[in-house]
């Protein structure tokens, strides 16, 4: 959730009052979820899970454009953008931050819209709710992704609890064993829902990769780990695998093969964020399986965008599928497109 540092507040123009503005709007609390009886609590696994089955097969949506092309696109404001900006939920078209958001991360929605739409679809189509579904997320542990009202926070509030799967950059470092342990916690005949993705900041001036954190006089990097990995790959230096820095070692290995592609992009930071997403998605699909029971495995993937005040953080949906043992995957991404 974007927030401005207090040190510059006195020189900025007063923000218009709006129910969506970050400093005046309190998102409605998601529907209360009945607390599970204690006897239904999942008992810890006494033995390590058996080796995870092969990764599930997924019905791929059309292959995304290369990161370079993603960064070169110029998107006209959509009808959704115009409505959301009218409500104060997203920047008004024409502002630098709006141009950066719509050009490099088209289709992004405020976090509350993603929560409301995904939960409505899953409830109406599959009767999924906090009583019969466990929730996991693979996002970067950066505190700006976990502030009150951010998508990760309101998802946890709706589903009732969360199994953290990610580390710096957002990759699911828990691996097959971690997913095996997590999926063993599913309620009888219940479902698994996972959200994943990297994050990136956009400053008020429209600079991708920058975010003004509370208490700091200047903007800093977001996502710092992905930015560092990209800089390391661009440096030409040799970096081996570091047991004391395993997560950053993974990010470097994910970015390195496409470093030149990112360099030639119109916006290299936007491009490397899309590259990070591709790597995280591939890793997620390798570690999950549908062997936990008859229920659904639902995966929502995308890019988190840390927005400047007064706007709520956004999320660009890029993957939304339902999988089930013995069934073909169902692609629901179109359910998150406002037309």
């Amino acid at each position: 959730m974007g927030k401005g540092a207090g040190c510059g507040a006195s020189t900025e123009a007063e923000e218009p009052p709006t129910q969506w503005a970050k400093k005046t709007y309190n998102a409605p609390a998601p529907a209360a979820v009945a607390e599970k009886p204690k006897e239904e609590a999942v008992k810890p696994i006494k033995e390590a899970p058996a080796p995870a089955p092969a990764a599930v097969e997924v019905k791929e949506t059309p292959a995304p454009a290369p990161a370079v092309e993603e960064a070169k696109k110029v998107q006209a404001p959509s009808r959704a953008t115009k409505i959301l900006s009218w409500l104060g939920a997203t920047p008004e078209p024409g502002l630098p931050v709006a141009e950066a958001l719509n050009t490099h991360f088209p289709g992004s929605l405020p976090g509350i819209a993603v929560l409301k739409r995904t939960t409505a679809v899953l409830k109406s189509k599959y009767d999924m709710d906090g009583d019969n579904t466990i929730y996991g997320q693979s996002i970067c542990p950066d505190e700006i992704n976990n502030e009150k009202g951010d998508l990760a926070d309101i998802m946890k509030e709706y589903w009732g609890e969360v199994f953290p799967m990610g580390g710096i950059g957002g990759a699911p470092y828990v691996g097959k064993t971690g997913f095996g342990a997590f999926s063993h916690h599913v309620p009888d005949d219940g479902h698994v829902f996972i959200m994943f993705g990297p994050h990136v900041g956009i400053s008020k001036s429209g600079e991708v990769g920058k975010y003004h954190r509370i208490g700091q006089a200047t903007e800093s990097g977001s996502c710092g780990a992905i930015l560092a990995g990209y800089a390391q790959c661009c440096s030409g230096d040799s970096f081996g695998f570091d047991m004391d820095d395993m997560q950053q070692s993974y990010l470097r290995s994910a970015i390195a093969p496409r470093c030149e592609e990112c360099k030639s992009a119109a916006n290299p930071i936007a491009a490397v964020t899309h590259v990070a997403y591709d790597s995280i998605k591939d890793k997620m699909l390798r570690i999950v399986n549908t062997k936990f029971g008859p229920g659904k495995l639902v995966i929502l993937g995308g890019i988190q965008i840390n927005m400047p005040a007064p706007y709520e953080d956004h999320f660009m949906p890029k993957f939304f599928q339902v999988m089930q043992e013995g069934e073909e995957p169902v692609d629901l991404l179109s359910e998150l497109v406002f037309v």
Side-chain angles (χ1 to χ4, degrees):
M1 178 188 301
K3 294 184 177 68
C7 59
S10 62
T11 61
E12 296 181 356
E14 184 177 354
E15 296 164 359
T18 166
Q19 63 174 359
W20 285 87
K22 180 170 297 185
K23 295 183 179 178
T24 60
Y25 171 69
N26 292 318
V33 178
E35 184 177 353
K36 300 178 183 177
K38 292 184 179 179
E39 60 270 23
E40 293 182 4
V42 179
K43 297 180 180 179
I45 301 173
K46 295 182 179 179
E47 299 180 357
V56 296
E57 294 184 5
V58 299
K59 181 188 295 182
E60 289 290 348
T61 50
V68 172
E69 295 305 316
E70 290 277 4
K72 287 181 179 178
K73 292 179 181 177
V74 177
Q75 298 287 329
S78 66
R79 179 167 168 250
T81 296
K82 293 177 181 178
I83 293 174
L84 290 170
S85 64
W86 178 68
L87 292 170
T90 201
E92 181 180 351
L95 293 176
V97 63
E99 293 299 310
L101 178 68
N102 296 325
T103 297
H104 303 300
F105 309 101
S108 296
L109 296 167
I112 187 65
V114 176
L115 170 75
K116 293 292 187 181
R117 186 60 186 157
T118 55
T119 55
V121 169
L122 295 179
K123 180 64 177 177
S124 64
K125 289 181 178 290
Y126 306 109
D127 196 30
M128 291 175 60
D129 56 33
D131 289 330
N132 60 20
T133 304
I134 55 172
Y135 171 63
Q137 63 186 23
S138 186
I139 64 173
C140 182
D142 193 322
E143 66 277 5
I144 62 176
N145 297 326
N146 295 281
E147 294 170 335
K148 189 67 175 176
D150 281 349
L151 181 57
D153 176 67
I154 58 180
M155 280 286 192
K156 180 181 67 175
E157 288 295 319
Y158 178 87
W159 295 107
E161 53 195 17
V162 62
F163 186 97
M165 303 175 69
I168 59 173
Y173 298 105
V174 297
K176 294 179 179 179
T177 299
F179 176 80
F182 169 49
S183 63
H184 275 67
H185 302 167
V186 69
D188 291 343
D189 301 326
H191 314 286
V192 176
F193 177 48
I194 297 173
M195 180 181 73
F196 75 87
H199 73 112
V200 66
I202 300 181
S203 71
K204 193 171 184 178
S205 64
E207 184 175 0
V208 177
K210 291 293 185 180
Y211 182 83
H212 198 175
R213 300 167 188 269
I214 292 176
Q216 293 189 342
T218 59
E219 295 164 349
S220 55
S222 168
C223 168
I226 291 175
L227 295 177
Y230 176 58
Q232 289 164 348
C233 291
C234 290
S235 70
D237 295 336
S238 177
F239 293 88
F241 182 82
D242 187 347
M243 281 294 293
D244 294 324
D245 202 11
M246 292 187 290
Q247 295 183 8
Q248 189 64 21
S249 295
Y250 168 82
L251 288 177
R252 281 196 301 270
S253 69
I255 295 169
R258 299 177 66 181
C259 187
E260 292 302 318
E261 176 187 336
C262 295
K263 283 183 183 180
S264 63
N267 189 304
I269 303 307
V272 77
T273 303
H274 284 279
V275 165
Y277 164 81
D278 290 342
S279 176
I280 294 168
K281 182 195 76 172
D282 291 345
K283 185 174 180 67
M284 177 63 73
L285 295 179
R286 289 197 304 269
I287 71 170
V288 300
N289 66 78
T290 54
K291 301 293 185 181
F292 53 83
K296 308 288 193 297
L297 168 64
V298 181
I299 301 180
L300 170 67
I303 296 174
Q304 300 177 93
I305 299 99
N306 309 121
M307 299 288 288
Y311 310 108
E312 297 295 330
D313 285 357
H314 283 47
F315 184 83
M316 178 186 179
K318 300 187 72 171
F319 187 95
F320 189 27
Q321 289 193 8
V322 179
M323 306 164 200
Q324 188 174 18
E325 186 67 11
E327 302 291 338
E328 286 294 314
V330 178
D331 193 341
L332 296 178
L333 190 58
S334 62
E335 297 283 359
L336 299 180
V337 178
F338 187 96
V339 293

